[in-house]
Structures are given as C-alpha cells and as structure tokens.
Amino acid sequence: MSPADAAGPADVVVALDVGGTGMKCALVRPDGSTVHTERHPTDAGRGPDAVVETILDVAEGLAGKARADGLDPVALGIAVPGVVDEAAGVAVWSANVGFRDVPLRDLAAARLGLPTALGHDVRVGGLAEARLGAGRGTGHVLFVAIGTGIAAAHVVDGVAATGAHGAAGEIGHILVRPGGPRCGCGRDGCLEAVASASAIARRYAEATGAGLTGTGPTGAAGGGGLAGGGLAGGGLAGTPASAADVADRAAAGEPAAARVWAEAVEALADGLATGQSLYDVEAVVVGGGLAQAGPRLFDPLRAALHERMTFHRRPRLAAAALGDEAGCLGAALLALDAR
Amino acid sequence: MSPADAAGPADVVVALDVGGTGMKCALVRPDGSTVHTERHPTDAGRGPDAVVETILDVAEGLAGKARADGLDPVALGIAVPGVVDEAAGVAVWSANVGFRDVPLRDLAAARLGLPTALGHDVRVGGLAEARLGAGRGTGHVLFVAIGTGIAAAHVVDGVAATGAHGAAGEIGHILVRPGGPRCGCGRDGCLEAVASASAIARRYAEATGAGLTGTGPTGAAGGGGLAGGGLAGGGLAGTPASAADVADRAAAGEPAAARVWAEAVEALADGLATGQSLYDVEAVVVGGGLAQAGPRLFDPLRAALHERMTFHRRPRLAAAALGDEAGCLGAALLALDAR
C-alpha cells in the first residue's frame, strides 16, 4: 500500500528544506501535490541554536496554518545539507547551516507532536525526482545535484541509499583529475573542483585574469544544494562571470569559455561514468543550478557519457523535473515512509 | 528468522562457483559450514552448451551424493562471472565461460527440481564475506576482488546490490589515471589497467623490458575472479614475473618493482576512496589473488586510503577471510535467501 492509498482526504505533511540562506517550506499531500508554500530566511550566522528555534517555529506555524485551513498535519519532514544520519535523526555536520550533531528529528517531534523524519537535502531531492519527477517509473536512478558543490543520491525502488554514516553519494569528491585543481575538501582533482557551477566560474575567471573574490570551492559535503546558486548571475560589466555566463560565452565561441565549459563537461562525464560503473542505473537525473543550462549542458554531456560506456548499459540522461520544490517533496515522502 | 533457524538438521545447499578454468562445488549447510567439496574443469573451449551440460551434471551428481549421505538437498546456488541478471536468472554475458544470455537458473531448476538461484561470482563472494567472513557483523561492506581483473560488491545488511542490469560494482572500470594504460574494456586509465594482478605483472615486464606473452588486460566484466590467478606464479628464470614476484622484488628494494607496486597501490587507494565517497561503508574487504600479498599490500594501501579520507569516515580495511570458498558459500546463501 502506498502512502497515498493510506491517506485521509485532509492529510498533509509539513515539509521544510533548510539551506544555508533560506528555508523552503510546504504543506504537501501524500500524492505529492503541494497545497501551500512559504519561504523564510535561515540566517545561519545567528548560530545553530537560533536556527533550530526558527525551524521549530516555522514548522509549528505551518502545522497551525494547515489546521486553520481544515487540513490534518500527519507528519513532519525536514531536509538539511551536509552529513545527515537519517536512522538516528541527527544533523551530523552541516557546514552551511552551522549544525554539528543536532538531534533535530527528536527536537521537532517533541515540539510538534508529529511523526518526524530528518533527511539529507540531495538524497530527499533524489527521492522526489525518482518517485515523482524525471525518474518516475524507473527502478534504479542516480540523481546528481550540481550547484555550488556536487552531490548525488542513488535511489533504488524509491529508497535513497544513506550509507553507514549518512555520507553516501559524495560524487563531488571522487578523483577525476589527478594533480588537478584543489578542492574545498583538501584534495586535488575532485569532480567538484572542476565541474561545479562555482568551479566553472572560478576557472573561467582564472583563465581570463578577471577578478573574482570570495567564490572559492565550497567545503566538502556542504555544497550540491538542490537549486543552490552558482548558475544564475552576473553578466554585468565588472561582475564576475557566472557558470551561466560561461555557458553563454562558450556557445558564442569564446575560446576561454569554450575550454572551461568543455573541461567541466568532460569531467562530469568521467564522474557519471564512474557512477554508472558502480551503480548500474537506468537513469541519471541531473539537477541543481547547472542543469538550468539546458541543452548547452545536456547535449555534450550525453554524448561524452555515452562515449565512455563500453560494456555498460547506457543510462538515460535527463534534467531534473521538480525544480527547487524537490527538497520539500522529498522531505514529505521521507516523513510518510517513516510514519 | 535467518535461513539457519528454518533449516532441518540434514538440510544442505548444492553450490557451484563456475569460473573460466574450473568450477568449485560444495554441499553447504544453512549455517555456512561446508560438508563436502569437489572441483571440476570448466573446459570453456567446448562452447556454452557443453559447459551448461557439465554444470547440470555436476549439480545433479552433488544432489545425489547428498542424498546418498543421508542429507537433504533443499536448494541449488550457482555463481558465474560477467554480467548476471539475478532477478531473471540469466547469465547475460560471461566472457570467460562463453555465456551469452543463458537462462541458467531455470535450466538448472528444471533438471534438479530444486529452488535455484543464479548469482554473480564477485557479488556472492562479497555476500559471503559480509555475512560469514571479514565483514561479519558489519552492516555496510564493500568487497573488492583483485585478480586478473578487479570487481566489487556493495553489500548492505547482507544483500549485495545488483544494479538495474546485473552490472553493478565494476570498480575495475572507473577512471583513475586519465590518459593512462589502455584497459581491456577499450578505455584508458581504468583502475584495472593499473592495479589488477595481471596489470602489475604486465607493467613490470614493460618497465624491465622482460618478455611477456598472452597476459594482456582481461576483458571488461570478465575478470575479478575471487581467487583467480595472477598472484601465484613464476619467479623461475625465464618466466615472466607475477604480481607476487613484483611484490617480493619491491620489498627487496628493486626500483622498477617498487615503482610498479607503488603505482598500483596508489591507484587502488584512489579507487577505494571513490568507492567510499559514493558508498560510505564501514569496512572494505579486499580479496582475490592480490590479497595474498598480505601486509605488502594492506599496509601501504591502508595508509594511502586513509590519507585520502578528508570528510569521509575511514572504513576498516581488511583481507578477505574465506579464501576461494567464498563463491560457493555465497551461492549457497543466495539460494537460501531466494527459497
């Protein structure tokens, strides 16, 4: 029986997707439709205790809003970035949000009195894409979020692998270019250091000698946000070129942009090929800010990935379909699964 | 309830681990103890039909032997190399054995009248190591078999991931050295092309100008046999040095051997670090012929792997404990699981 089958007509899940800057919030029906959304600032600089208080206040407010609208809040799902121990309900390490071993699931369950699940932002995003989005109907899906960082979720039959310590899917930190650019994790040549949206912007700035401040690679396990920035941006005279600008300039034939973009695509293809060698999936779904580049990303990436498939079965390569709602939807699914 | 709990006192599983040269066969009790073993030549050159007939004859003979000894054969488990669709019971592609889309499970079930499971040799080996061997008591295990090829099994809570098409775990074919040695799969720089036992022997022969015939890299998905050769061997004047010889000569300070061995260890550490980034396991268990090098392999490999762990949890690195029985034991476990 699927969660939707078991649901009452007024059932909704309170869902929060907490990022470093803001938190996306929603009331989600068991069938995955969204009946209400809100956004709130995270304001992580206030420290983890204040952020937890805000999360609990916002969640409580959403549950109250649901009841006022005649709906029945039946569960709470919260997604956070970093390393998340889903089984224990603990935000082990979230650099962006300032969390370190925060037992967020139990704190929230105690405050709201609802069955609560805590998930990892990219893993729940992958869950949502696999079950409701671009991977719908596909048993084995690899979801890859490319934003300020790069992270993945391996979803089999609607369940995302967590790993032993909540740290599975760190595809941004696999070696693709030995001796290559230094990554935020401290190693050289990680995929994220070549092909994240922020790496593309940084490498283009380096290649063209343009000034660029404060946009070094992100810390390990801190990036990969679902719709995290990095693609949108600039293009104004004097501001650094974003990854979107690099894609535009590459399409227009500018040599430095074309080189940086091609190097990123090749590195991504190497990383996805490694993922396929290990996971053997039917579909690779790419989301996050960089996916907004559309065919400028997907056409050359598909060709480069398929070129690397020798004995492998070629996975379908698709753009994520749920946009920045994926985190809330996935947090809601996780909460329904855990109920 | 575990299979052992449900077992009758005389229950045994007929288990076959079919390789390119020979097949290891056993009668295995549900608790994992072996009551009888046999070996038979595969003689793959006779063609797939003849090999299938031999497998069926041997399995039938083992079931008869069990009954003659007062035992009760309750299931049949068969492991083969290559690409194996466990759900369909089909040997999709086994270069070593000459199989292509052979519905071996149903053929065997029809002949013997026993519940039958067909598994992949390295995946069932990993299953056995995770449940009965070096990974016993560990929920998340990555088993890596290094022989003529390199392949892996990701085992979570006693279940080995198969992938969508039976091709998961091909860690031998992840890129670790862009522009590096040509792999049997047709790509350059795969882990297997640098660090399999046969690659080590080949690279040492190339480095020293020694003659070497007929020991090129193995085909994709065809290697990684559990105890497949590649380490044992030679050392006689005039015969090419084996990987074991290279390890010996490296330990004795011979520069070319030390360089080839160190390059293999570094590449293995890169490959295992990629595995840990994606899987987040508690233990990495290394088996296959190369593991027989013992501390000459495990000491530098452990150091190199841990050096690469930045934000990751460090997995325990252990040598496989079941030797070349792992394939039969795992085939038996798979058959009991499927019953």
Side-chain angles (χ1 to χ4, degrees):
Chain A
M1 190 165 66
S2 80
D5 295 332
D11 286 3
V12 287
V13 181
V14 176
L16 285 80
D17 178 12
V18 180
T21 357
M23 45 184 89
K24 300 165 201 118
C25 313
L27 296 173
V28 180
R29 288 192 193 276
D31 66 2
S33 61
T34 297
V35 295
H36 171 74
T37 61
E38 293 179 8
R39 299 220 172 192
H40 297 269
T42 301
D43 208 355
R46 299 173 299 149
D49 292 347
V51 173
V52 167
E53 270 310 299
T54 302
I55 290 171
L56 300 182
D57 289 345
V58 166
E60 204 164 35
L62 277 161
K65 156 89 181 151
R67 292 193 186 97
D69 290 352
L71 299 170
D72 184 13
V74 294
L76 167 62
I78 305 174
V80 298
V83 177
V84 180
D85 184 337
E86 290 176 11
V90 172
V92 177
W93 181 45
S94 301
N96 291 353
V97 188
F99 286 168
R100 186 106 213 182
D101 292 322
V102 176
L104 192 53
R105 183 190 63 198
D106 292 350
L107 291 172
R111 172 80 83 90
L112 272 77
L114 290 177
T116 302
L118 180 70
H120 177 265
D121 61 349
V122 174
R123 286 202 295 267
V124 299
L127 198 66
E129 286 290 346
R131 282 158 68 167
L132 304 170
R136 190 167 187 151
T138 309
H140 294 249
V141 175
L142 182 64
F143 173 69
V144 182
I146 311 175
T148 51
I150 302 179
H154 179 220
V155 186
V156 176
D157 295 337
V159 178
T162 60
H165 318 94
E170 290 287 355
I171 201 170
H173 300 284
I174 65 172
L175 176 73
V176 295
R177 293 294 175 266
R182 173 60 51 102
C183 181
C185 78
R187 301 283 305 168
D188 295 336
C190 290
L191 177 58
E192 185 169 303
V194 181
S196 69
S198 49
I200 291 169
R202 174 178 48 77
R203 287 164 63 75
Y204 178 73
E206 289 167 1
T208 56
L212 186 64
T213 54
T215 50
T218 61
L226 274 176
L231 190 79
L236 299 176
T239 58
S242 69
D245 299 330
V246 178
D248 286 343
R249 294 176 194 181
E254 190 193 299
R259 196 179 66 247
V260 167
W261 188 254
E263 286 172 357
V265 167
E266 293 288 310
L268 282 172
D270 286 332
L272 296 182
T274 285
Q276 182 65 356
S277 294
L278 292 180
Y279 293 131
D280 179 27
V281 296
E282 294 160 279
V284 175
V285 176
V286 175
L290 202 72
Q292 294 167 25
R296 291 172 303 172
L297 174 66
F298 284 92
D299 289 352
L301 181 57
R302 187 176 291 109
L305 175 60
H306 286 174
E307 181 193 309
R308 284 158 174 76
M309 303 287 90
T310 54
F311 61 92
H312 325 65
R313 296 288 183 95
R314 291 183 174 190
R316 178 167 64 85
L317 180 68
L322 302 174
D324 66 4
E325 276 192 45
C328 272
L329 292 177
L333 292 175
L334 197 69
L336 287 168
D337 289 350
R339 203 163 48 129
Chain B
M1 193 164 64
S2 78
D5 296 330
D11 285 3
V12 288
V13 182
V14 177
L16 285 80
D17 177 13
V18 180
T21 351
M23 47 184 88
K24 299 164 202 119
C25 312
L27 296 173
V28 180
R29 288 193 193 274
D31 66 3
S33 61
T34 297
V35 295
H36 171 74
T37 62
E38 293 179 8
R39 299 220 171 192
H40 297 268
T42 301
D43 207 356
R46 298 173 300 150
D49 292 348
V51 173
V52 168
E53 270 310 299
T54 302
I55 290 171
L56 301 182
D57 289 346
V58 166
E60 204 165 34
L62 276 160
K65 155 88 181 152
R67 291 192 187 96
D69 291 351
L71 299 169
D72 183 14
V74 294
L76 167 62
I78 305 174
V80 298
V83 177
V84 180
D85 185 336
E86 289 176 11
V90 173
V92 176
W93 181 44
S94 300
N96 291 352
V97 188
F99 286 169
R100 186 107 214 181
D101 293 322
V102 176
L104 192 52
R105 182 189 64 197
D106 291 350
L107 291 172
R111 171 81 82 90
L112 272 76
L114 290 177
T116 302
L118 179 70
H120 177 266
D121 61 348
V122 174
R123 286 202 295 268
V124 300
L127 198 65
E129 285 291 346
R131 282 158 67 168
L132 304 171
R136 189 167 187 152
T138 308
H140 294 249
V141 175
L142 183 64
F143 172 69
V144 182
I146 311 174
T148 51
I150 302 180
H154 179 220
V155 185
V156 176
D157 295 336
V159 178
T162 60
H165 318 93
E170 289 287 357
I171 201 170
H173 300 284
I174 66 173
L175 176 72
V176 294
R177 294 292 176 267
R182 174 58 53 101
C183 181
C185 78
R187 299 285 303 168
D188 294 336
C190 290
L191 177 57
E192 184 170 304
V194 181
S196 69
S198 49
I200 290 170
R202 174 178 47 76
R203 287 164 62 76
Y204 178 73
E206 288 166 3
T208 55
L212 186 66
T213 55
T215 49
T218 62
L226 275 178
L231 190 79
L236 299 175
T239 59
S242 68
D245 300 329
V246 177
D248 286 342
R249 293 176 194 182
E254 190 192 301
R259 196 178 65 247
V260 167
W261 188 254
E263 285 172 358
V265 167
E266 292 289 310
L268 282 172
D270 286 332
L272 295 183
T274 285
Q276 181 65 355
S277 294
L278 293 180
Y279 292 130
D280 179 26
V281 295
E282 296 160 277
V284 174
V285 176
V286 175
L290 202 71
Q292 295 167 26
R296 291 172 303 173
L297 173 68
F298 284 92
D299 290 350
L301 180 58
R302 187 175 292 110
L305 175 60
H306 286 174
E307 181 194 309
R308 284 158 174 76
M309 303 287 89
T310 55
F311 63 92
H312 324 66
R313 299 286 183 97
R314 291 181 174 191
R316 180 166 62 88
L317 180 69
L322 302 175
D324 66 2
E325 276 192 45
C328 272
L329 292 177
L333 291 174
L334 196 70
L336 287 169
D337 290 348
R339 199 159 56 126

